[in-house]
Amino acid sequence: MTLSKEPGIRILGEFEVPIEDTVAVTGTGVEVFGPRQESPLVPA
């Protein structure tokens, strides 16, 4: 199963800072695709 979680900071009419992590759930755990962004202030 593949999932995407997309939390972010949004102020309507002002700006948006999305953060997206795409992961695959496997039989042994989770595999993260691509670099993991730890903070909206520090790009991955």
Side-chain angles (χ1 to χ4, degrees), residues 4-10 16-22 37 40:
S4 174
K5 68 178 186 87
E6 300 181 28
I9 300 168
R10 295 168 181 86
E16 177 177 353
V17 180
I19 301 172
E20 182 175 330
D21 292 325
T22 303
Q37 188 166 349

Side-chain angles (χ1 to χ4, degrees), residues 23-36:
V23 300
V25 179
T26 68
T28 58
V30 176
E31 180 182 347
V32 179
F33 296 104
R36 187 174 197 168

